[in-house]
Amino acid sequence: MQKLTQEAVQKRTFTKWINSHLAKHKPPLEVSDLFEDIKDGVKLLALLEVLSGQRLPREQGRQLKRIHWVSNIGTALKFLEGRKSVYRGSPIKLVNIHATDIADGRPSIVLGLIWTIILYFQIEELTSNLPALQALSNSNSSVDSTASCETGSPPMKRRVNNKFQGNAKKALLRWVQCTAAKDFGIEVKDFGPSWRSGVAFQAVVHAIRPDLVDMEVVRRRNNRENLEEAFALAENELGIPRLLDPEDVDVDKPDEKSIMTYVAQFLKHYPNPQHSEGDGQQDEVLCSSLPFSQSKEERKMLRELKVFLDQLERDLLRAQAAEGSLTDKYQAFKNFHVQYEMKKKQTDQLLQPVHKEGKLSVDQALVKQAWDRLSARLLDWHIHLDKSLPGPLGMIGAWLHRAEMALREDIPLQHVHEETANVLHRKLEQHKVKCLHTH
């Protein structure tokens, strides 16, 4: 019965997580029944687009047949397997996850796939940017995770994912222990029973915004009250989507994956305070070295830049969807490109690694993700505009579009050198000039 409960909690948590991202899609999308709504692969591809900033090809329409479903899911799986795990440095392996199983809506396979996406795009991506945790991540020891594969992962997949999950999991757990638990003497040794009382959630909120939580009051309240208030504070004051309900956590064996998914969201909001004094012991050194040697001013500039880039992306998407002539569209694109170029130098300076191993801070990683996403949107728009040109110019644009799609299939967008984009742009300009001379 516990297993069924965990599967139901996972389904609900993962659905809320997906919807928090699909709300950013253009147009916004929503999943109501995860196992049914993922079958045609359309929303799965939309989720990956939002997370990566890349555009993925798809079959879509009201009369999609199963062959189209499988094609869409296959595209999503191929895209995922082309990504590299930050911890392992090797491509993600999706063992025993087949497009036909997703098209059938098999619960354990669907949950296993979504968990892999969450693990890579949220938990691993964010925790890998905590430099003091690299030693832990590269060690052979692992956190006990007997509950980690009980639901949502097919048996064949457990062996492959354990190291991947273990490293990201250790990093996230150490972050909690160093930033929240140690200040109040709270023992957080897992992502299960340690969270049942709600005190750990309250401590994490306190680590980000101390003014929101009175830990003395927290210690006197019951589990449900603490959980409810922590989730409400996180949602209303920090803007963290509410993925869990008190009844999901106040059980003998809370679902580990659901708690990890929720807790990882707090990493984006952690303020990276100044160094604390260490006493020479290993844990204290790890905890005190979690923050980066960035000034308050640099962190403030990074956060302001992130807000600017997010707003520019939203404005860009609105401008793309607006009515107007091709000339108007090109002018709008040019205006956005000017703003983009004006921020490029500042962005490059702020994204210089502050750690000797070349790792970025959490704030830097978030800015880099926003920058890569915006770069992808601008490139997409430029190609679309060029493709829309009349006559021979449009043919050149279409050729460029196919070339770009081929590039994207083989190379993640953020790895495409700027020089490549410049070469393509120069070629287009040359073709435009030739075509204008021939008319």
Side-chain angles (χ1 to χ4, degrees):
M1 190 67 187
Q2 180 70 40
K3 183 177 179 180
L4 289 174
T5 303
Q6 285 191 329
E7 184 176 281
V9 170
Q10 257 182 45
K11 181 184 180 184
R12 192 160 63 241
T13 304
F14 291 0
T15 299
K16 290 176 182 176
W17 183 84
I18 291 169
N19 285 335
S20 73
H21 291 284
L22 286 182
K24 303 169 191 171
H25 190 263
K26 195 75 175 177
L29 298 173
E30 187 175 8
V31 168
S32 52
D33 185 325
L34 178 58
F35 302 148
E36 288 299 317
D37 292 354
I38 203 172
K39 284 182 175 181
D40 64 7
V42 173
K43 290 178 180 175
L44 175 61
L45 286 170
L47 173 66
L48 293 176
E49 285 185 339
V50 171
L51 293 171
S52 69
Q54 298 186 42
R55 185 173 292 176
L56 301 173
R58 76 193 64 191
E59 306 277 355
Q60 55 188 352
R62 293 186 177 181
Q63 301 300 320
L64 284 186
K65 293 183 167 53
R66 183 180 169 83
I67 189 171
H68 301 127
W69 298 5
V70 174
S71 172
N72 281 339
I73 297 162
T75 299
L77 299 185
K78 182 183 175 186
F79 172 76
L80 279 171
E81 290 191 314
R83 310 285 291 197
K84 283 190 175 181
S85 162
V86 178
Y87 283 92
R88 290 196 313 252
S90 58
I92 296 169
K93 298 292 183 185
L94 299 174
V95 179
N96 208 35
I97 293 184
H98 304 292
T100 50
D101 293 328
I102 304 298
D104 290 337
R106 289 183 58 191
S108 65
I109 308 295
V110 171
L111 292 175
L113 173 62
I114 300 302
W115 173 240
T116 299
I117 293 171
I118 291 171
L119 204 53
Y120 175 81
F121 281 101
Q122 176 164 299
I123 300 173
E124 179 178 297
E125 190 73 31
L126 289 171
T127 58
S128 68
N129 287 295
L130 297 173
L133 301 175
Q134 294 309 300
L136 283 175
S137 302
N138 295 330
S139 70
N140 294 322
S141 62
S142 63
V143 176
D144 177 54
S145 57
T146 53
S148 64
C149 291
E150 287 193 5
T151 65
S153 300
M156 291 290 289
K157 191 161 161 280
R158 293 177 191 171
R159 181 177 56 82
V160 174
N161 262 5
N162 272 351
K163 184 169 184 283
F164 175 28
Q165 175 174 318
N167 288 331
K169 178 177 162 185
K170 280 186 289 183
L172 186 60
L173 186 62
R174 176 60 70 191
W175 175 77
V176 172
Q177 291 168 338
C178 291
T179 60
K182 77 181 183 72
D183 290 338
F184 300 102
I186 304 164
E187 188 176 31
V188 180
K189 57 186 180 181
D190 53 45
F191 285 104
S194 294
W195 299 82
R196 181 175 184 174
S197 69
V199 175
F201 287 112
Q202 294 274 9
V204 172
V205 173
H206 185 279
I208 296 168
R209 283 275 305 277
D211 59 300
L212 295 177
V213 178
D214 184 337
M215 292 301 292
E216 291 305 313
V217 174
V218 167
R219 292 180 189 279
R220 296 197 293 267
R221 282 198 300 245
N222 64 40
N223 294 2
R224 294 293 175 100
E225 288 173 333
N226 275 332
L227 291 165
E228 175 58 39
E229 188 189 67
F231 299 157
L233 284 173
E235 183 175 43
N236 299 329
E237 301 292 338
L238 304 178
I240 294 174
R242 182 180 179 130
L243 305 184
L244 297 170
D245 292 316
E247 55 268 28
D248 298 335
V249 184
D250 190 18
V251 292
D252 289 338
K253 196 175 182 183
D255 179 62
E256 178 182 75
K257 293 176 182 176
S258 298
I259 291 178
M260 283 179 69
T261 300
Y262 181 63
V263 171
Q265 296 184 118
F266 287 83
L267 270 173
K268 296 180 183 179
H269 300 264
Y270 184 61
N272 283 343
Q274 297 298 318
H275 288 262
S276 60
E277 294 296 320
D279 63 2
Q281 295 186 4
Q282 184 185 20
D283 276 359
E284 191 61 36
V285 169
L286 278 167
C287 290
S288 65
S289 61
L290 261 175
F292 294 82
S293 56
Q294 283 179 300
S295 67
K296 283 185 178 180
E297 184 59 31
E298 284 175 320
R299 292 197 298 273
K300 182 171 178 284
M301 290 169 68
L302 279 165
R303 293 183 180 196
E304 287 174 351
L305 179 58
K306 171 75 164 55
V307 170
F308 173 85
L309 295 175
D310 286 344
Q311 185 60 52
L312 191 62
E313 183 186 6
R314 286 193 292 271
D315 292 343
L316 185 152
L317 290 171
R318 273 197 296 273
Q320 263 187 292
E323 296 294 325
S325 67
L326 193 57
T327 305
D328 293 338
K329 295 273 189 178
Y330 263 109
Q331 187 57 49
F333 168 80
K334 185 178 176 182
N335 292 339
F336 280 104
H337 198 266
V338 167
Q339 294 183 70
Y340 171 85
E341 287 295 330
M342 285 172 64
K343 286 290 179 183
K344 190 172 190 312
K345 187 175 180 182
Q346 181 194 16
T347 302
D348 288 343
Q349 288 173 343
L350 286 173
L351 291 185
Q352 291 301 311
V354 295
H355 188 260
K356 63 183 180 182
E357 292 181 10
K359 302 302 291 184
L360 303 178
S361 71
V362 174
D363 286 328
Q364 285 179 312
L366 291 171
V367 166
K368 185 178 185 305
Q369 286 172 358
W371 182 261
D372 289 344
R373 230 179 14 249
L374 182 62
S375 303
R377 302 277 193 210
L378 276 168
L379 193 54
D380 274 337
W381 194 7
H382 199 176
I383 289 168
H384 178 72
L385 289 172
D386 290 339
K387 192 179 171 187
S388 303
L389 289 165
L393 292 176
M395 291 173 63
I396 296 165
W399 173 81
L400 268 175
H401 178 70
R402 287 195 298 274
E404 180 60 28
M405 291 306 293
L407 277 172
R408 290 189 191 194
E409 282 187 11
D410 295 330
I411 312 167
L413 188 63
Q414 60 266 34
H415 298 155
V416 176
H417 295 299
E418 188 181 352
E419 288 78 3
T420 307
N422 289 337
V423 169
L424 289 174
H425 182 66
R426 284 199 301 274
K427 291 289 185 188
L428 177 66
E429 293 302 320
Q430 289 167 9
H431 280 299
K432 283 180 185 174
V433 171
K434 285 180 185 176
C435 289
L436 287 171
H437 284 311
T438 59
H439 280 279

